[in-house]
mmCIF file of all heavy atoms in Angstrom:
data_model
loop_
_atom_site.group_PDB
_atom_site.id
_atom_site.type_symbol
_atom_site.label_atom_id
_atom_site.label_comp_id
_atom_site.label_asym_id
_atom_site.label_seq_id
_atom_site.Cartn_x
_atom_site.Cartn_y
_atom_site.Cartn_z
ATOM 1 N N ARG D 148 95.266 60.185 106.261
ATOM 2 C CA ARG D 148 96.475 60.497 105.496
ATOM 3 C C ARG D 148 97.283 59.247 105.182
ATOM 4 O O ARG D 148 97.834 59.097 104.100
ATOM 5 C CB ARG D 148 97.324 61.487 106.301
ATOM 6 C CG ARG D 148 98.548 62.014 105.602
ATOM 7 C CD ARG D 148 99.189 63.106 106.440
ATOM 8 N NE ARG D 148 100.387 63.598 105.813
ATOM 9 C CZ ARG D 148 101.585 63.059 105.954
ATOM 10 N NH1 ARG D 148 101.727 61.993 106.704
ATOM 11 N NH2 ARG D 148 102.641 63.564 105.341
ATOM 12 N N THR D 149 97.360 58.341 106.150
ATOM 13 C CA THR D 149 98.155 57.119 105.973
ATOM 14 C C THR D 149 97.313 55.943 105.486
ATOM 15 O O THR D 149 97.855 54.850 105.255
ATOM 16 C CB THR D 149 98.827 56.738 107.300
ATOM 17 O OG1 THR D 149 97.822 56.547 108.316
ATOM 18 C CG2 THR D 149 99.779 57.839 107.756
ATOM 19 N N LYS D 150 95.971 56.183 105.343
ATOM 20 C CA LYS D 150 95.055 55.129 104.906
ATOM 21 C C LYS D 150 95.158 53.891 105.793
ATOM 22 O O LYS D 150 95.214 52.752 105.325
ATOM 23 C CB LYS D 150 95.342 54.759 103.448
ATOM 24 C CG LYS D 150 95.119 55.914 102.482
ATOM 25 C CD LYS D 150 95.387 55.511 101.038
ATOM 26 C CE LYS D 150 95.148 56.686 100.101
ATOM 27 N NZ LYS D 150 95.405 56.316 98.683
ATOM 28 N N SER D 151 95.193 54.154 107.101
ATOM 29 C CA SER D 151 95.279 53.073 108.081
ATOM 30 C C SER D 151 93.975 52.987 108.872
ATOM 31 O O SER D 151 93.130 53.881 108.799
ATOM 32 C CB SER D 151 96.454 53.311 109.036
ATOM 33 O OG SER D 151 96.325 54.560 109.689
ATOM 34 N N THR D 152 93.817 51.895 109.615
ATOM 35 C CA THR D 152 92.610 51.691 110.416
ATOM 36 C C THR D 152 92.580 52.672 111.587
ATOM 37 O O THR D 152 93.586 52.846 112.280
ATOM 38 C CB THR D 152 92.558 50.254 110.951
ATOM 39 O OG1 THR D 152 92.622 49.339 109.848
ATOM 40 C CG2 THR D 152 91.277 50.023 111.729
ATOM 41 N N LEU D 153 91.434 53.299 111.790
ATOM 42 C CA LEU D 153 91.298 54.279 112.866
ATOM 43 C C LEU D 153 91.189 53.562 114.209
ATOM 44 O O LEU D 153 90.366 52.673 114.391
ATOM 45 C CB LEU D 153 90.051 55.141 112.632
ATOM 46 C CG LEU D 153 89.727 56.166 113.716
ATOM 47 C CD1 LEU D 153 90.828 57.216 113.809
ATOM 48 C CD2 LEU D 153 88.386 56.839 113.419
ATOM 49 N N ASN D 154 92.042 53.968 115.142
ATOM 50 C CA ASN D 154 92.015 53.421 116.492
ATOM 51 C C ASN D 154 92.255 54.579 117.456
ATOM 52 O O ASN D 154 93.387 55.042 117.624
ATOM 53 C CB ASN D 154 93.086 52.342 116.668
ATOM 54 C CG ASN D 154 92.988 51.653 118.028
ATOM 55 O OD1 ASN D 154 92.304 52.127 118.934
ATOM 56 N ND2 ASN D 154 93.689 50.532 118.172
ATOM 57 N N LEU D 155 91.180 55.042 118.094
ATOM 58 C CA LEU D 155 91.286 56.216 118.963
ATOM 59 C C LEU D 155 92.054 55.926 120.248
ATOM 60 O O LEU D 155 92.421 56.866 120.976
ATOM 61 C CB LEU D 155 89.891 56.746 119.307
ATOM 62 C CG LEU D 155 89.099 57.326 118.121
ATOM 63 C CD1 LEU D 155 87.724 57.789 118.576
ATOM 64 C CD2 LEU D 155 89.859 58.467 117.471
ATOM 65 N N ASP D 156 92.307 54.654 120.549
ATOM 66 C CA ASP D 156 93.122 54.330 121.732
ATOM 67 C C ASP D 156 94.618 54.465 121.429
ATOM 68 O O ASP D 156 95.430 54.605 122.338
ATOM 69 C CB ASP D 156 92.831 52.899 122.207
ATOM 70 C CG ASP D 156 91.444 52.784 122.825
ATOM 71 O OD1 ASP D 156 90.985 53.787 123.415
ATOM 72 O OD2 ASP D 156 90.824 51.712 122.704
ATOM 73 N N ARG D 157 94.934 54.427 120.140
ATOM 74 C CA ARG D 157 96.345 54.550 119.756
ATOM 75 C C ARG D 157 96.641 56.049 119.545
ATOM 76 O O ARG D 157 96.763 56.531 118.443
ATOM 77 C CB ARG D 157 96.607 53.740 118.484
ATOM 78 C CG ARG D 157 98.060 53.620 118.138
ATOM 79 C CD ARG D 157 98.321 52.628 117.023
ATOM 80 N NE ARG D 157 98.317 51.270 117.525
ATOM 81 C CZ ARG D 157 97.523 50.294 117.105
ATOM 82 N NH1 ARG D 157 96.641 50.537 116.152
ATOM 83 N NH2 ARG D 157 97.586 49.089 117.620
ATOM 84 N N ARG D 158 96.801 56.757 120.666
ATOM 85 C CA ARG D 158 96.970 58.207 120.650
ATOM 86 C C ARG D 158 98.266 58.662 121.311
ATOM 87 O O ARG D 158 98.516 59.864 121.432
ATOM 88 C CB ARG D 158 95.788 58.889 121.330
ATOM 89 C CG ARG D 158 95.681 58.636 122.813
ATOM 90 C CD ARG D 158 94.512 59.410 123.428
ATOM 91 N NE ARG D 158 93.232 59.043 122.880
ATOM 92 C CZ ARG D 158 92.435 59.897 122.244
ATOM 93 N NH1 ARG D 158 92.802 61.144 122.076
ATOM 94 N NH2 ARG D 158 91.265 59.498 121.783
ATOM 95 N N TYR D 159 99.114 57.707 121.725
ATOM 96 C CA TYR D 159 100.382 58.066 122.367
ATOM 97 C C TYR D 159 101.496 57.931 121.329
ATOM 98 O O TYR D 159 101.798 56.816 120.871
ATOM 99 C CB TYR D 159 100.636 57.154 123.572
ATOM 100 C CG TYR D 159 99.506 57.213 124.580
ATOM 101 C CD1 TYR D 159 98.473 56.272 124.550
ATOM 102 C CD2 TYR D 159 99.459 58.215 125.540
ATOM 103 C CE1 TYR D 159 97.426 56.327 125.455
ATOM 104 C CE2 TYR D 159 98.413 58.274 126.462
ATOM 105 C CZ TYR D 159 97.392 57.327 126.402
ATOM 106 O OH TYR D 159 96.355 57.398 127.307
ATOM 107 N N ARG D 160 102.080 59.056 120.978
ATOM 108 C CA ARG D 160 103.085 59.051 119.910
ATOM 109 C C ARG D 160 104.484 59.202 120.494
ATOM 110 O O ARG D 160 104.758 60.110 121.275
ATOM 111 C CB ARG D 160 102.803 60.184 118.916
ATOM 112 C CG ARG D 160 103.700 60.161 117.704
ATOM 113 C CD ARG D 160 103.147 61.002 116.563
ATOM 114 N NE ARG D 160 103.017 62.421 116.897
ATOM 115 C CZ ARG D 160 102.517 63.327 116.050
ATOM 116 N NH1 ARG D 160 102.079 62.945 114.847
ATOM 117 N NH2 ARG D 160 102.426 64.585 116.410
ATOM 118 N N VAL D 161 105.345 58.295 120.090
ATOM 119 C CA VAL D 161 106.736 58.324 120.532
ATOM 120 C C VAL D 161 107.632 58.261 119.303
ATOM 121 O O VAL D 161 107.241 57.769 118.245
ATOM 122 C CB VAL D 161 107.057 57.148 121.483
ATOM 123 C CG1 VAL D 161 106.260 57.266 122.766
ATOM 124 C CG2 VAL D 161 106.785 55.816 120.803
ATOM 125 N N ARG D 162 108.833 58.760 119.441
ATOM 126 C CA ARG D 162 109.781 58.753 118.334
ATOM 127 C C ARG D 162 110.706 57.548 118.463
ATOM 128 O O ARG D 162 111.266 57.277 119.523
ATOM 129 C CB ARG D 162 110.603 60.047 118.335
ATOM 130 C CG ARG D 162 111.587 60.144 117.182
ATOM 131 C CD ARG D 162 112.349 61.445 117.241
ATOM 132 N NE ARG D 162 111.501 62.581 116.984
ATOM 133 C CZ ARG D 162 111.144 63.003 115.774
ATOM 134 N NH1 ARG D 162 111.570 62.345 114.688
ATOM 135 N NH2 ARG D 162 110.376 64.055 115.620
ATOM 136 N N GLU D 163 110.832 56.846 117.363
ATOM 137 C CA GLU D 163 111.769 55.738 117.267
ATOM 138 C C GLU D 163 112.698 56.006 116.092
ATOM 139 O O GLU D 163 112.319 55.813 114.947
ATOM 140 C CB GLU D 163 111.030 54.403 117.071
ATOM 141 C CG GLU D 163 110.272 53.955 118.302
ATOM 142 C CD GLU D 163 109.698 52.563 118.128
ATOM 143 O OE1 GLU D 163 109.846 51.985 117.022
ATOM 144 O OE2 GLU D 163 109.095 52.043 119.081
ATOM 145 N N GLY D 164 113.864 56.472 116.386
ATOM 146 C CA GLY D 164 114.790 56.855 115.334
ATOM 147 C C GLY D 164 114.267 58.079 114.608
ATOM 148 O O GLY D 164 113.994 59.113 115.212
ATOM 149 N N ALA D 165 114.094 57.953 113.295
ATOM 150 C CA ALA D 165 113.602 59.078 112.498
ATOM 151 C C ALA D 165 112.084 59.040 112.343
ATOM 152 O O ALA D 165 111.510 59.915 111.712
ATOM 153 C CB ALA D 165 114.255 59.067 111.116
ATOM 154 N N GLU D 166 111.411 58.029 112.911
ATOM 155 C CA GLU D 166 109.967 57.875 112.762
ATOM 156 C C GLU D 166 109.250 58.115 114.072
ATOM 157 O O GLU D 166 109.832 58.010 115.154
ATOM 158 C CB GLU D 166 109.645 56.465 112.251
ATOM 159 C CG GLU D 166 110.215 56.161 110.865
ATOM 160 C CD GLU D 166 109.830 54.778 110.401
ATOM 161 O OE1 GLU D 166 109.223 54.035 111.206
ATOM 162 O OE2 GLU D 166 110.121 54.432 109.245
ATOM 163 N N ARG D 167 107.967 58.439 113.923
ATOM 164 C CA ARG D 167 107.085 58.547 115.085
ATOM 165 C C ARG D 167 106.022 57.469 114.973
ATOM 166 O O ARG D 167 105.441 57.268 113.917
ATOM 167 C CB ARG D 167 106.420 59.927 115.140
ATOM 168 C CG ARG D 167 107.370 61.071 115.434
ATOM 169 C CD ARG D 167 106.612 62.379 115.517
ATOM 170 N NE ARG D 167 107.477 63.507 115.771
ATOM 171 C CZ ARG D 167 107.049 64.763 115.878
ATOM 172 N NH1 ARG D 167 105.766 65.027 115.739
ATOM 173 N NH2 ARG D 167 107.895 65.747 116.114
ATOM 174 N N LYS D 168 105.761 56.809 116.069
ATOM 175 C CA LYS D 168 104.782 55.724 116.067
ATOM 176 C C LYS D 168 103.683 56.006 117.070
ATOM 177 O O LYS D 168 103.925 56.544 118.153
ATOM 178 C CB LYS D 168 105.466 54.398 116.398
ATOM 179 C CG LYS D 168 106.390 53.903 115.291
ATOM 180 C CD LYS D 168 106.848 52.491 115.565
ATOM 181 C CE LYS D 168 107.677 51.940 114.400
ATOM 182 N NZ LYS D 168 108.087 50.533 114.620
ATOM 183 N N LEU D 169 102.462 55.605 116.668
ATOM 184 C CA LEU D 169 101.313 55.734 117.551
ATOM 185 C C LEU D 169 101.096 54.416 118.290
ATOM 186 O O LEU D 169 101.047 53.351 117.676
ATOM 187 C CB LEU D 169 100.060 56.092 116.747
ATOM 188 C CG LEU D 169 100.014 57.497 116.142
ATOM 189 C CD1 LEU D 169 98.761 57.661 115.304
ATOM 190 C CD2 LEU D 169 100.054 58.550 117.235
ATOM 191 N N LEU D 170 100.951 54.510 119.598
ATOM 192 C CA LEU D 170 100.780 53.324 120.435
ATOM 193 C C LEU D 170 99.595 53.512 121.371
ATOM 194 O O LEU D 170 99.224 54.639 121.702
ATOM 195 C CB LEU D 170 102.043 53.076 121.282
ATOM 196 C CG LEU D 170 103.370 52.943 120.529
ATOM 197 C CD1 LEU D 170 104.527 52.904 121.529
ATOM 198 C CD2 LEU D 170 103.387 51.697 119.656
ATOM 199 N N THR D 171 99.007 52.402 121.771
ATOM 200 C CA THR D 171 98.041 52.471 122.862
ATOM 201 C C THR D 171 98.830 52.547 124.168
ATOM 202 O O THR D 171 100.048 52.351 124.181
ATOM 203 C CB THR D 171 97.144 51.223 122.869
ATOM 204 O OG1 THR D 171 97.955 50.059 123.152
ATOM 205 C CG2 THR D 171 96.438 51.049 121.540
ATOM 206 N N LEU D 172 98.147 52.821 125.262
ATOM 207 C CA LEU D 172 98.859 52.910 126.543
ATOM 208 C C LEU D 172 99.462 51.560 126.929
ATOM 209 O O LEU D 172 100.595 51.488 127.417
ATOM 210 C CB LEU D 172 97.904 53.396 127.641
ATOM 211 C CG LEU D 172 98.538 53.601 129.017
ATOM 212 C CD1 LEU D 172 99.699 54.581 128.943
ATOM 213 C CD2 LEU D 172 97.490 54.086 130.025
#
Side-chain angles (χ1 to χ4, degrees):
R148 185 173 178 274
T149 58
K150 298 181 180 180
S151 57
T152 303
L153 177 64
N154 186 346
L155 294 179
D156 289 329
R157 189 170 280 122
R158 67 177 61 241
Y159 303 95
R160 186 163 62 182
V161 295
R162 182 179 292 278
E163 290 187 357
E166 297 182 354
R167 292 182 181 180
K168 290 190 175 182
L169 290 176
L170 304 172
T171 65
L172 183 57

